[in-house]
Amino acid sequence: MDKKSTSKRAILDLQGDLASRGLNVTLKIHGRGDSSPIQSKGTLPAAPDLVELLRSHWEEKYRKLGPTRALSPKKIHKKGLLEERVRECRESAKQLRDRFQRWLNSEGMRSLENSLRSELDREDEIQFVIATDDDRLQKLPWCEWDLFETYRYAEVALSSPEFDELPGIQTEARSYVRILAILGNDKGIDVESDRAFLNKLPQARVTFLVKPDRHQVNDRLWEESWDILFFAGHSCSEGDTGRIYLNDTDSLTVDELWHGLRKMVDGGLRLAIFNSCDGLGLARRLDDLCIPQMVVMRERTPDRVAQDFLRYFLAAFAIENRPFHLAVRQARERLQGLEAELPCATWLPTICQHQYAQPPIWSNLYRSAERKAKTVQPKSIFQVDRKGITLMGSLLLACLGGGLLLGPRISDFFNDRGIKQYRNNRLQHAKIYYQLAIGFNPFNHKPYYNLGWQCEQQFHDIPCAQKYYQKSMSLGSSSARASYIRSLLLHDRDLTKALKIVEEGLPFVKYKGDEASLLKSRGWIFFEQNRWEAARKDFEDAIELAEDSPHTYCLLAQTLEKLARFEEAKLAWEKTLVHAENRIEEQASCIALAEKRLKGDRDRS
């Protein structure tokens, strides 16, 4: 955020019945340091037609769209039928949104809305809490209230009107965020992408439980303290509770986890993320545990929505260091790009919280002995603070005063220092050192490459990464060429451009590892073009040069299957697992695919 704001909380307490009697509404506005809130009262009329629109939209229009993170995904519809259902769902969403906004603009809300607009400034940072236990009110798309067009630093959350006092949070010194990540039943969905995103978090120690049994989950809840609980897989609401599916045979309701989860809360749990379907039932039953903040999905959720939301949220929360509720809003609104094919994507991620929980900030989830009492957090991914600029300027002046002939050696020194800072997750310091390296020798390809790698791996900023890769590549770096090609294949899907860059680089490559990477990339391109024999040859040549790449074996195995050479493919799948190290994004899915293929072979035998 680029402004100085006041932190405020607006709580809208709703009592009554939407379908018959209407609602009594109480608004409380808390400002920082207020001894007592500002209060206002209003009413909302009964709206049985809104109740019916809400039901028909979710049950009759939205749920017919296709596969989600529900346990039994429906078959994909034929293209024409799917397009028709997408259109119907989009029209239904518009009708629901318009009727919802008219209901909120009713006469009984005028004085209450005037209070909101008089007490809240546009630049205020606002937690807007809807306090209700009515599941129909919780299902309404509160993010579509036109009020939020005015307040860009506000996000809506759901809460129970009745609550216990929040437990105290333990603050023992540590230099990392403790995350327990449960990857459950993944039939028909890709939870390995969730795992890859979590693995890239700075200052985090992530413990994964992959398709665990009940005993494993229970032990982890009791044996350690955690800051964040994460679940990805299938889940559902069952009346007033929720169920998560751990593996192919085991599932748990919240009641069956209650004591372990309560222990987590007592041990300092700050946030729970359920990146799975239909999570309001989970949130309702978890309410009496006093988990400060949760993110759940309001309805059944397409796999693409779940993956993209997690990626966007973690970038805003853990990398940009935005307050939790504003990181959710940013990530949720970025899902709008999917709504042409997946209507209502921006309605799905939902905060459920204790009424008076403060939104956490990533850097406050850990306490580092190296960190001073006040730490200035970057306002954006690659903004250097004043101290860094002063340091850079002073050292550059020293360089000019000391003689430019030492530039290349000093450049390498600062590049090495940047690498050390990067490994210690001091990302802004790393960036400063890389820029210093460039200042002393603008023809040194290494710091450009390292800046590109940092952009891609830590900040998921692909245009930034490609810019630095191209610069490093122009100065002769084969590693940058390989990384740029990989980025084109993974993110841009530009096969023609990628092939051209491979062909340009192969005659001049110096090292076996770089040649292997380029050959693998060319084979990958041929594979995507259905040129199986050419792909096979490149993969086998790449393996002769570098035998430890699980991704190359994975691609070779898939190519051999296309060529109906199944025994050789099985050997390649086995090699994929032998060399599995899960170092880069595409390897995680390859390793999972290898395990699945080999398990299928064992089951058939």
Side-chain angles (χ1 to χ4, degrees):
M1 298 194 337
D2 54 358
K3 47 85 184 170
K4 222 171 183 179
S5 66
T6 299
S7 178
K8 294 182 178 178
R9 178 185 291 107
I11 300 173
L12 204 66
D13 188 283
L14 306 176
Q15 299 290 333
D17 186 272
L18 177 59
S20 57
R21 303 190 312 272
L23 305 171
N24 292 318
V25 184
T26 302
L27 171 69
K28 297 179 183 179
I29 301 176
H30 299 258
R32 183 175 290 163
D34 283 353
S35 57
S36 59
I38 296 166
Q39 293 197 41
S40 181
K41 291 186 178 293
T43 60
L44 281 164
D49 60 325
L50 179 58
V51 172
E52 177 56 27
L53 273 174
L54 184 69
R55 185 203 62 78
S56 65
H57 171 71
W58 290 120
E59 295 180 11
E60 297 176 7
K61 300 298 190 294
Y62 176 81
R63 292 185 185 178
K64 290 183 178 179
L65 290 179
T68 66
R69 286 193 171 187
L71 182 60
S72 301
K74 299 175 184 178
K75 294 181 180 179
I76 297 174
H77 303 292
K78 293 181 180 178
K79 184 177 179 182
L81 179 58
L82 180 59
E83 289 175 351
E84 175 65 18
R85 290 186 172 175
V86 166
R87 184 188 62 78
E88 290 177 353
C89 184
R90 193 178 295 118
E91 290 177 357
S92 172
K94 183 179 184 305
Q95 292 173 10
L96 175 58
R97 178 175 57 246
D98 292 347
R99 179 64 184 97
F100 177 55
Q101 290 179 346
R102 290 198 306 273
W103 179 67
L104 288 171
N105 290 329
S106 60
E107 184 67 31
M109 287 284 285
R110 295 287 168 79
S111 62
L112 188 145
E113 187 165 340
N114 288 338
S115 296
L116 280 169
R117 296 190 184 276
S118 64
E119 296 297 332
L120 303 178
D121 295 331
R122 286 175 177 267
E123 300 302 301
D124 284 341
E125 182 185 304
I126 306 162
Q127 287 179 279
F128 203 101
V129 180
I130 307 297
T132 178
D133 286 330
D134 189 319
D135 58 353
R136 294 172 300 187
L137 293 172
Q138 292 174 347
K139 278 285 184 79
L140 287 168
W142 289 96
C143 58
E144 294 293 337
W145 193 353
D146 52 17
L147 186 79
F148 293 106
E149 295 176 6
T150 302
Y151 300 103
R152 58 188 179 135
Y153 298 113
E155 177 63 344
V156 69
L158 301 176
S159 176
S160 172
E162 298 180 3
F163 51 88
D164 296 325
E165 184 178 349
L166 272 172
I169 300 297
Q170 296 183 0
T171 57
E172 71 271 17
R174 60 187 183 280
S175 58
Y176 53 86
V177 180
R178 307 161 300 181
I179 302 174
L180 176 63
I182 302 172
L183 305 182
N185 185 306
D186 60 353
K187 182 179 179 182
I189 60 176
D190 176 19
V191 299
E192 284 298 322
S193 294
D194 300 48
R195 179 174 188 160
F197 301 147
L198 291 169
N199 267 328
K200 293 176 183 177
L201 291 175
Q203 299 294 135
R205 179 175 293 177
V206 187
T207 298
F208 290 98
L209 296 181
V210 181
K211 292 186 178 179
D213 58 33
R214 292 167 172 240
H215 182 71
Q216 290 173 305
V217 172
N218 188 66
D219 281 352
R220 283 296 187 175
L221 298 186
W222 280 92
E223 290 172 357
E224 299 181 49
S225 296
W226 307 97
D227 299 300
I228 297 175
L229 171 65
F230 175 84
F231 174 80
H234 292 296
S235 70
C236 67
S237 292
E238 293 184 351
D240 290 332
T241 189
R243 181 179 294 275
I244 61 173
Y245 294 87
L246 301 177
N247 51 52
D248 294 338
T249 57
D250 292 336
S251 66
L252 285 171
T253 65
V254 173
D255 291 341
E256 293 169 309
L257 286 170
W258 199 94
H259 292 292
L261 291 170
R262 182 68 215 187
K263 193 272 177 186
M264 290 183 79
V265 173
D266 292 340
L269 183 69
R270 302 292 301 279
L271 172 62
I273 303 170
F274 291 92
N275 203 26
S276 56
C277 278
D278 199 10
L280 288 179
L282 290 168
R284 279 193 291 271
R285 187 62 188 92
L286 289 169
D287 179 71
D288 60 352
L289 288 170
C290 290
I291 297 174
Q293 308 271 2
M294 288 180 278
V295 182
V296 302
M297 293 296 177
R298 187 184 301 271
E299 254 288 343
R300 298 179 182 178
T301 304
D303 202 30
R304 175 74 183 279
V305 172
Q307 291 175 22
D308 283 6
F309 171 76
L310 183 65
R311 177 161 57 96
Y312 298 149
F313 167 71
L314 293 178
F317 183 51
I319 308 300
E320 297 177 46
N321 209 43
R322 289 179 176 270
F324 163 73
H325 64 306
L326 301 187
V328 171
R329 175 166 179 169
Q330 177 174 299
R332 184 179 56 73
E333 290 182 340
R334 285 188 68 177
L335 297 175
Q336 189 172 32
L338 301 178
E339 290 197 333
E341 299 177 4
L342 302 169
C344 306
T346 57
W347 295 7
L348 298 175
T350 307
I351 298 174
C352 297
Q353 66 167 72
H354 187 283
Q355 274 196 30
Y356 292 102
Q358 290 295 329
I361 297 174
W362 181 262
S363 59
N364 293 339
L365 291 176
Y366 59 88
R367 295 164 58 88
S368 171
E370 297 180 1
R371 206 169 48 165
K372 295 186 178 179
K374 290 186 179 180
T375 302
V376 178
Q377 292 297 329
K379 294 177 183 175
S380 63
I381 287 177
F382 262 92
Q383 182 176 350
V384 184
D385 59 25
R386 264 186 213 172
K387 192 179 290 185
I389 293 172
T390 303
L391 172 65
M392 187 182 296
S394 300
L395 288 171
L396 285 172
L397 287 173
C399 168
L400 293 173
L404 294 175
L405 290 177
L406 294 176
R409 294 176 66 181
I410 297 174
S411 176
D412 284 339
F413 168 78
F414 280 122
N415 182 67
D416 291 342
R417 289 297 300 271
I419 293 171
K420 289 180 181 178
Q421 295 295 321
Y422 177 84
R423 288 173 178 167
N424 289 326
N425 274 321
R426 303 181 72 182
L427 305 182
Q428 291 298 315
H429 290 81
K431 182 196 176 234
I432 291 169
Y433 280 117
Y434 293 146
Q435 290 186 332
L436 282 168
I438 292 169
F440 279 95
N441 180 13
F443 302 104
N444 184 354
H445 63 79
K446 289 178 282 189
Y448 292 108
Y449 175 79
N450 290 332
L451 282 168
W453 183 258
Q454 188 171 347
C455 282
E456 181 176 12
Q457 296 299 315
Q458 288 291 331
F459 303 128
H460 317 299
D461 187 341
I462 304 308
C464 168
Q466 291 181 347
K467 177 184 74 173
Y468 284 116
Y469 287 153
Q470 285 180 287
K471 180 64 176 177
S472 181
M473 187 174 69
S474 72
L475 294 171
S477 170
S478 296
S479 297
R481 182 180 296 273
S483 292
Y484 181 52
I485 293 163
R486 171 179 166 272
S487 177
L488 289 173
L489 291 172
L490 278 176
H491 303 292
D492 295 356
R493 306 293 298 167
D494 192 336
L495 302 181
T496 302
K497 185 175 182 180
L499 183 58
K500 180 175 181 290
I501 295 170
V502 171
E503 301 287 7
E504 289 172 350
L506 274 171
F508 305 103
V509 72
K510 297 178 181 178
Y511 304 107
K512 285 185 177 181
D514 291 335
E515 184 179 359
S517 182
L518 290 177
L519 286 170
K520 181 195 78 171
S521 295
R522 189 171 68 179
W524 192 357
I525 295 165
F526 289 155
F527 179 85
E528 294 292 336
Q529 294 174 336
N530 299 335
R531 298 165 63 183
W532 315 124
E533 273 297 339
R536 179 194 60 78
K537 185 177 185 308
D538 274 349
F539 293 142
E540 290 178 348
D541 289 346
I543 287 168
E544 283 189 18
L545 295 168
E547 298 180 351
D548 64 346
S549 168
H551 191 224
T552 309
Y553 282 111
C554 172
L555 290 168
L556 175 60
Q558 293 174 76
T559 304
L560 291 168
E561 286 184 347
K562 294 291 185 182
L563 293 168
R565 294 163 66 166
F566 298 110
E567 287 301 317
E568 294 171 74
K570 182 179 178 181
L571 292 174
W573 286 125
E574 291 171 349
K575 287 285 189 179
T576 302
L577 295 183
V578 166
H579 297 289
E581 296 178 27
N582 199 17
R583 290 168 296 178
I584 57 176
E585 180 179 342
E586 64 270 24
Q587 286 182 5
S589 59
C590 269
I591 292 163
L593 188 58
E595 291 171 342
K596 182 177 179 181
R597 286 285 199 278
L598 293 172
K599 182 179 184 298
D601 286 341
R602 288 193 296 271
D603 291 344
R604 284 190 293 273
S605 63

